[in-house]
PDB file of all heavy atoms in Angstrom:
ATOM      1  N   VAL A  41      13.514  66.034 -15.769  1.00  0.00           N
ATOM      2  CA  VAL A  41      13.649  65.584 -17.085  1.00  0.00           C
ATOM      3  C   VAL A  41      12.268  65.142 -17.664  1.00  0.00           C
ATOM      4  O   VAL A  41      12.210  64.851 -18.871  1.00  0.00           O
ATOM      5  CB  VAL A  41      14.681  64.412 -17.269  1.00  0.00           C
ATOM      6  CG1 VAL A  41      16.121  64.946 -17.037  1.00  0.00           C
ATOM      7  CG2 VAL A  41      14.355  63.217 -16.330  1.00  0.00           C
ATOM      8  N   GLY A  42      11.370  65.008 -16.822  1.00  0.00           N
ATOM      9  CA  GLY A  42      10.005  64.569 -17.320  1.00  0.00           C
ATOM     10  C   GLY A  42       9.678  63.058 -17.165  1.00  0.00           C
ATOM     11  O   GLY A  42       8.927  62.514 -18.061  1.00  0.00           O
ATOM     12  N   LYS A  43      10.214  62.463 -16.133  1.00  0.00           N
ATOM     13  CA  LYS A  43       9.999  61.044 -16.010  1.00  0.00           C
ATOM     14  C   LYS A  43       8.450  60.661 -15.771  1.00  0.00           C
ATOM     15  O   LYS A  43       7.929  59.775 -16.450  1.00  0.00           O
ATOM     16  CB  LYS A  43      10.791  60.440 -14.847  1.00  0.00           C
ATOM     17  CG  LYS A  43      12.343  60.588 -14.976  1.00  0.00           C
ATOM     18  CD  LYS A  43      13.018  59.948 -13.801  1.00  0.00           C
ATOM     19  CE  LYS A  43      12.784  60.508 -12.397  1.00  0.00           C
ATOM     20  NZ  LYS A  43      13.243  61.966 -12.383  1.00  0.00           N
ATOM     21  N   SER A  44       7.886  61.390 -14.854  1.00  0.00           N
ATOM     22  CA  SER A  44       6.499  61.138 -14.516  1.00  0.00           C
ATOM     23  C   SER A  44       5.551  61.376 -15.712  1.00  0.00           C
ATOM     24  O   SER A  44       4.602  60.611 -15.985  1.00  0.00           O
ATOM     25  CB  SER A  44       5.983  61.919 -13.261  1.00  0.00           C
ATOM     26  OG  SER A  44       6.722  61.556 -12.134  1.00  0.00           O
ATOM     27  N   GLU A  45       5.775  62.542 -16.414  1.00  0.00           N
ATOM     28  CA  GLU A  45       4.976  62.774 -17.550  1.00  0.00           C
ATOM     29  C   GLU A  45       5.074  61.774 -18.725  1.00  0.00           C
ATOM     30  O   GLU A  45       4.139  61.358 -19.304  1.00  0.00           O
ATOM     31  CB  GLU A  45       5.415  64.214 -18.213  1.00  0.00           C
ATOM     32  CG  GLU A  45       4.930  65.405 -17.260  1.00  0.00           C
ATOM     33  CD  GLU A  45       5.389  66.696 -17.830  1.00  0.00           C
ATOM     34  OE1 GLU A  45       6.107  66.657 -18.787  1.00  0.00           O
ATOM     35  OE2 GLU A  45       4.947  67.694 -17.287  1.00  0.00           O
ATOM     36  N   LEU A  46       6.367  61.326 -18.839  1.00  0.00           N
ATOM     37  CA  LEU A  46       6.506  60.271 -19.888  1.00  0.00           C
ATOM     38  C   LEU A  46       5.819  58.985 -19.463  1.00  0.00           C
ATOM     39  O   LEU A  46       5.108  58.450 -20.380  1.00  0.00           O
ATOM     40  CB  LEU A  46       8.119  60.068 -20.032  1.00  0.00           C
ATOM     41  CG  LEU A  46       8.447  58.807 -20.945  1.00  0.00           C
ATOM     42  CD1 LEU A  46       7.982  59.168 -22.420  1.00  0.00           C
ATOM     43  CD2 LEU A  46       9.926  58.543 -20.816  1.00  0.00           C
ATOM     44  N   VAL A  47       5.896  58.618 -18.204  1.00  0.00           N
ATOM     45  CA  VAL A  47       5.360  57.369 -17.897  1.00  0.00           C
ATOM     46  C   VAL A  47       3.704  57.472 -17.841  1.00  0.00           C
ATOM     47  O   VAL A  47       3.073  56.514 -18.195  1.00  0.00           O
ATOM     48  CB  VAL A  47       5.763  56.845 -16.462  1.00  0.00           C
ATOM     49  CG1 VAL A  47       4.921  55.772 -15.926  1.00  0.00           C
ATOM     50  CG2 VAL A  47       7.194  56.499 -16.548  1.00  0.00           C
ATOM     51  N   ASP A  48       3.205  58.631 -17.568  1.00  0.00           N
ATOM     52  CA  ASP A  48       1.901  58.840 -17.579  1.00  0.00           C
ATOM     53  C   ASP A  48       1.334  58.638 -19.057  1.00  0.00           C
ATOM     54  O   ASP A  48       0.211  58.059 -19.280  1.00  0.00           O
ATOM     55  CB  ASP A  48       1.388  60.237 -17.110  1.00  0.00           C
ATOM     56  CG  ASP A  48       1.430  60.405 -15.570  1.00  0.00           C
ATOM     57  OD1 ASP A  48       1.310  59.298 -14.982  1.00  0.00           O
ATOM     58  OD2 ASP A  48       1.561  61.446 -15.121  1.00  0.00           O
ATOM     59  N   HIS A  49       2.041  59.114 -20.000  1.00  0.00           N
ATOM     60  CA  HIS A  49       1.682  58.981 -21.443  1.00  0.00           C
ATOM     61  C   HIS A  49       1.704  57.479 -21.824  1.00  0.00           C
ATOM     62  O   HIS A  49       0.869  56.890 -22.443  1.00  0.00           O
ATOM     63  CB  HIS A  49       2.631  59.703 -22.353  1.00  0.00           C
ATOM     64  CG  HIS A  49       2.146  61.165 -22.578  1.00  0.00           C
ATOM     65  ND1 HIS A  49       1.122  61.534 -23.463  1.00  0.00           N
ATOM     66  CD2 HIS A  49       2.459  62.311 -21.958  1.00  0.00           C
ATOM     67  CE1 HIS A  49       0.953  62.822 -23.439  1.00  0.00           C
ATOM     68  NE2 HIS A  49       1.707  63.274 -22.471  1.00  0.00           N
ATOM     69  N   LEU A  50       2.863  56.785 -21.408  1.00  0.00           N
ATOM     70  CA  LEU A  50       2.973  55.321 -21.686  1.00  0.00           C
ATOM     71  C   LEU A  50       1.898  54.551 -21.074  1.00  0.00           C
ATOM     72  O   LEU A  50       1.585  53.470 -21.595  1.00  0.00           O
ATOM     73  CB  LEU A  50       4.402  54.908 -21.249  1.00  0.00           C
ATOM     74  CG  LEU A  50       5.635  55.526 -22.019  1.00  0.00           C
ATOM     75  CD1 LEU A  50       6.882  55.066 -21.402  1.00  0.00           C
ATOM     76  CD2 LEU A  50       5.528  55.180 -23.485  1.00  0.00           C
ATOM     77  N   PRO A  54      -2.147  60.716 -19.685  1.00  0.00           N
ATOM     78  CA  PRO A  54      -1.374  61.899 -19.707  1.00  0.00           C
ATOM     79  C   PRO A  54      -1.978  62.960 -18.848  1.00  0.00           C
ATOM     80  O   PRO A  54      -3.232  63.028 -18.760  1.00  0.00           O
ATOM     81  CB  PRO A  54      -1.278  62.286 -21.177  1.00  0.00           C
ATOM     82  CG  PRO A  54      -2.502  61.731 -21.868  1.00  0.00           C
ATOM     83  CD  PRO A  54      -2.719  60.432 -21.081  1.00  0.00           C
ATOM     84  N   ARG A  55      -1.139  63.705 -18.162  1.00  0.00           N
ATOM     85  CA  ARG A  55      -1.625  64.882 -17.253  1.00  0.00           C
ATOM     86  C   ARG A  55      -2.197  65.938 -18.106  1.00  0.00           C
ATOM     87  O   ARG A  55      -1.610  66.278 -19.163  1.00  0.00           O
ATOM     88  CB  ARG A  55      -0.583  65.261 -16.430  1.00  0.00           C
ATOM     89  CG  ARG A  55       0.004  64.133 -15.522  1.00  0.00           C
ATOM     90  CD  ARG A  55       1.082  64.625 -14.560  1.00  0.00           C
ATOM     91  NE  ARG A  55       1.646  63.515 -13.733  1.00  0.00           N
ATOM     92  CZ  ARG A  55       2.517  63.677 -12.844  1.00  0.00           C
ATOM     93  NH1 ARG A  55       3.070  64.921 -12.596  1.00  0.00           N
ATOM     94  NH2 ARG A  55       2.870  62.662 -12.112  1.00  0.00           N
ATOM     95  N   THR A 170      14.397  62.866 -24.031  1.00  0.00           N
ATOM     96  CA  THR A 170      13.040  63.548 -24.050  1.00  0.00           C
ATOM     97  C   THR A 170      13.163  65.033 -24.365  1.00  0.00           C
ATOM     98  O   THR A 170      14.284  65.535 -24.513  1.00  0.00           O
ATOM     99  CB  THR A 170      12.279  63.276 -22.829  1.00  0.00           C
ATOM    100  OG1 THR A 170      10.907  63.645 -22.972  1.00  0.00           O
ATOM    101  CG2 THR A 170      12.885  63.975 -21.632  1.00  0.00           C
ATOM    102  N   LYS A 171      12.005  65.698 -24.474  1.00  0.00           N
ATOM    103  CA  LYS A 171      11.851  67.110 -24.702  1.00  0.00           C
ATOM    104  C   LYS A 171      12.514  67.475 -26.027  1.00  0.00           C
ATOM    105  O   LYS A 171      13.146  68.568 -26.197  1.00  0.00           O
ATOM    106  CB  LYS A 171      12.565  67.949 -23.592  1.00  0.00           C
ATOM    107  CG  LYS A 171      12.022  67.641 -22.207  1.00  0.00           C
ATOM    108  CD  LYS A 171      12.337  68.630 -21.191  1.00  0.00           C
ATOM    109  CE  LYS A 171      11.699  68.321 -19.892  1.00  0.00           C
ATOM    110  NZ  LYS A 171      11.797  69.295 -18.753  1.00  0.00           N
ATOM    111  N   VAL A 172      12.210  66.698 -27.083  1.00  0.00           N
ATOM    112  CA  VAL A 172      12.845  66.953 -28.396  1.00  0.00           C
ATOM    113  C   VAL A 172      12.270  68.210 -29.043  1.00  0.00           C
ATOM    114  O   VAL A 172      12.923  68.769 -29.868  1.00  0.00           O
ATOM    115  CB  VAL A 172      12.598  65.752 -29.377  1.00  0.00           C
ATOM    116  CG1 VAL A 172      13.254  64.440 -28.778  1.00  0.00           C
ATOM    117  CG2 VAL A 172      11.192  65.524 -29.597  1.00  0.00           C
ATOM    118  N   ASP A 173      11.146  68.700 -28.515  1.00  0.00           N
ATOM    119  CA  ASP A 173      10.648  69.939 -29.055  1.00  0.00           C
ATOM    120  C   ASP A 173      11.482  71.059 -28.780  1.00  0.00           C
ATOM    121  O   ASP A 173      11.316  72.110 -29.437  1.00  0.00           O
ATOM    122  CB  ASP A 173       9.099  70.133 -28.505  1.00  0.00           C
ATOM    123  CG  ASP A 173       9.126  70.148 -27.025  1.00  0.00           C
ATOM    124  OD1 ASP A 173       9.708  69.401 -26.405  1.00  0.00           O
ATOM    125  OD2 ASP A 173       8.333  71.050 -26.556  1.00  0.00           O
ATOM    126  N   ALA A 220      12.053  61.256 -27.544  1.00  0.00           N
ATOM    127  CA  ALA A 220      10.650  61.283 -27.103  1.00  0.00           C
ATOM    128  C   ALA A 220      10.251  62.679 -26.660  1.00  0.00           C
ATOM    129  O   ALA A 220      11.114  63.562 -26.471  1.00  0.00           O
ATOM    130  CB  ALA A 220      10.451  60.207 -25.916  1.00  0.00           C
ATOM    131  N   CYS A 221       8.970  62.771 -26.533  1.00  0.00           N
ATOM    132  CA  CYS A 221       8.414  64.085 -26.006  1.00  0.00           C
ATOM    133  C   CYS A 221       7.061  63.804 -25.421  1.00  0.00           C
ATOM    134  O   CYS A 221       6.386  62.925 -25.878  1.00  0.00           O
ATOM    135  CB  CYS A 221       8.281  65.080 -27.214  1.00  0.00           C
ATOM    136  SG  CYS A 221       7.721  66.705 -26.688  1.00  0.00           S
ATOM    137  N   SER A 222       6.841  64.484 -24.226  1.00  0.00           N
ATOM    138  CA  SER A 222       5.588  64.265 -23.588  1.00  0.00           C
ATOM    139  C   SER A 222       4.736  65.504 -23.565  1.00  0.00           C
ATOM    140  O   SER A 222       3.632  65.574 -24.149  1.00  0.00           O
ATOM    141  CB  SER A 222       5.786  63.880 -22.139  1.00  0.00           C
ATOM    142  OG  SER A 222       6.549  62.634 -22.119  1.00  0.00           O
ATOM    143  N   ARG A 223       5.152  66.555 -22.968  1.00  0.00           N
ATOM    144  CA  ARG A 223       4.410  67.766 -22.897  1.00  0.00           C
ATOM    145  C   ARG A 223       4.640  68.721 -24.077  1.00  0.00           C
ATOM    146  O   ARG A 223       5.902  68.887 -24.341  1.00  0.00           O
ATOM    147  CB  ARG A 223       4.683  68.580 -21.524  1.00  0.00           C
ATOM    148  CG  ARG A 223       4.003  69.937 -21.413  1.00  0.00           C
ATOM    149  CD  ARG A 223       4.206  70.508 -20.109  1.00  0.00           C
ATOM    150  NE  ARG A 223       3.739  69.647 -19.003  1.00  0.00           N
ATOM    151  CZ  ARG A 223       2.527  69.779 -18.586  1.00  0.00           C
ATOM    152  NH1 ARG A 223       1.682  70.573 -19.113  1.00  0.00           N
ATOM    153  NH2 ARG A 223       2.174  68.993 -17.571  1.00  0.00           N
ATOM    154  N   LEU A 224       3.642  69.344 -24.618  1.00  0.00           N
ATOM    155  CA  LEU A 224       3.777  70.290 -25.697  1.00  0.00           C
ATOM    156  C   LEU A 224       3.313  71.614 -25.164  1.00  0.00           C
ATOM    157  O   LEU A 224       2.133  71.775 -24.863  1.00  0.00           O
ATOM    158  CB  LEU A 224       3.053  69.834 -26.924  1.00  0.00           C
ATOM    159  CG  LEU A 224       3.531  68.631 -27.660  1.00  0.00           C
ATOM    160  CD1 LEU A 224       2.651  68.229 -28.799  1.00  0.00           C
ATOM    161  CD2 LEU A 224       5.011  68.696 -28.113  1.00  0.00           C
ATOM    162  N   ASP A 225       4.222  72.607 -25.091  1.00  0.00           N
ATOM    163  CA  ASP A 225       3.824  73.902 -24.673  1.00  0.00           C
ATOM    164  C   ASP A 225       3.129  74.629 -25.875  1.00  0.00           C
ATOM    165  O   ASP A 225       3.294  74.185 -27.035  1.00  0.00           O
ATOM    166  CB  ASP A 225       5.010  74.686 -24.240  1.00  0.00           C
ATOM    167  CG  ASP A 225       5.684  74.204 -22.968  1.00  0.00           C
ATOM    168  OD1 ASP A 225       4.973  73.635 -22.197  1.00  0.00           O
ATOM    169  OD2 ASP A 225       6.879  74.255 -22.887  1.00  0.00           O
ATOM    170  N   LEU A 230       6.759  71.201 -32.439  1.00  0.00           N
ATOM    171  CA  LEU A 230       6.409  69.816 -32.643  1.00  0.00           C
ATOM    172  C   LEU A 230       4.815  69.612 -32.608  1.00  0.00           C
ATOM    173  O   LEU A 230       4.239  70.150 -31.585  1.00  0.00           O
ATOM    174  CB  LEU A 230       7.102  68.970 -31.569  1.00  0.00           C
ATOM    175  CG  LEU A 230       7.146  67.433 -31.779  1.00  0.00           C
ATOM    176  CD1 LEU A 230       8.148  67.079 -32.787  1.00  0.00           C
ATOM    177  CD2 LEU A 230       7.555  66.713 -30.512  1.00  0.00           C
ATOM    178  N   ARG A 235       4.570  64.076 -31.758  1.00  0.00           N
ATOM    179  CA  ARG A 235       4.850  63.694 -30.397  1.00  0.00           C
ATOM    180  C   ARG A 235       4.355  62.239 -30.199  1.00  0.00           C
ATOM    181  O   ARG A 235       5.022  61.388 -29.576  1.00  0.00           O
ATOM    182  CB  ARG A 235       4.156  64.612 -29.382  1.00  0.00           C
ATOM    183  CG  ARG A 235       4.397  64.373 -27.954  1.00  0.00           C
ATOM    184  CD  ARG A 235       3.253  63.368 -27.337  1.00  0.00           C
ATOM    185  NE  ARG A 235       2.004  63.639 -27.666  1.00  0.00           N
ATOM    186  CZ  ARG A 235       1.174  64.667 -27.056  1.00  0.00           C
ATOM    187  NH1 ARG A 235       1.677  65.309 -26.100  1.00  0.00           N
ATOM    188  NH2 ARG A 235      -0.082  64.833 -27.454  1.00  0.00           N
ATOM    189  N   ASP A 236       3.120  61.924 -30.599  1.00  0.00           N
ATOM    190  CA  ASP A 236       2.585  60.568 -30.534  1.00  0.00           C
ATOM    191  C   ASP A 236       3.354  59.525 -31.264  1.00  0.00           C
ATOM    192  O   ASP A 236       3.511  58.421 -30.886  1.00  0.00           O
ATOM    193  CB  ASP A 236       1.180  60.630 -30.943  1.00  0.00           C
ATOM    194  CG  ASP A 236       0.231  61.425 -30.089  1.00  0.00           C
ATOM    195  OD1 ASP A 236       0.637  61.712 -28.953  1.00  0.00           O
ATOM    196  OD2 ASP A 236      -0.942  61.736 -30.479  1.00  0.00           O
ATOM    197  N   LEU A 239       6.333  58.585 -29.233  1.00  0.00           N
ATOM    198  CA  LEU A 239       5.934  57.706 -28.086  1.00  0.00           C
ATOM    199  C   LEU A 239       5.597  56.289 -28.613  1.00  0.00           C
ATOM    200  O   LEU A 239       5.917  55.334 -27.960  1.00  0.00           O
ATOM    201  CB  LEU A 239       4.744  58.349 -27.317  1.00  0.00           C
ATOM    202  CG  LEU A 239       5.016  59.617 -26.555  1.00  0.00           C
ATOM    203  CD1 LEU A 239       3.793  60.208 -26.081  1.00  0.00           C
ATOM    204  CD2 LEU A 239       5.977  59.286 -25.425  1.00  0.00           C
TER     205      LEU A 239
END
Side-chain angles (χ1 to χ4, degrees):
V41 292
K43 299 187 296 294
S44 295
E45 289 178 351
L46 175 66
V47 171
D48 282 339
H49 275 276
L50 294 176
R55 299 179 181 183
T170 192
K171 303 193 179 189
V172 298
D173 57 319
C221 183
S222 302
R223 176 180 296 277
L224 293 178
D225 293 326
L230 192 74
R235 184 269 314 278
D236 292 345
L239 292 172

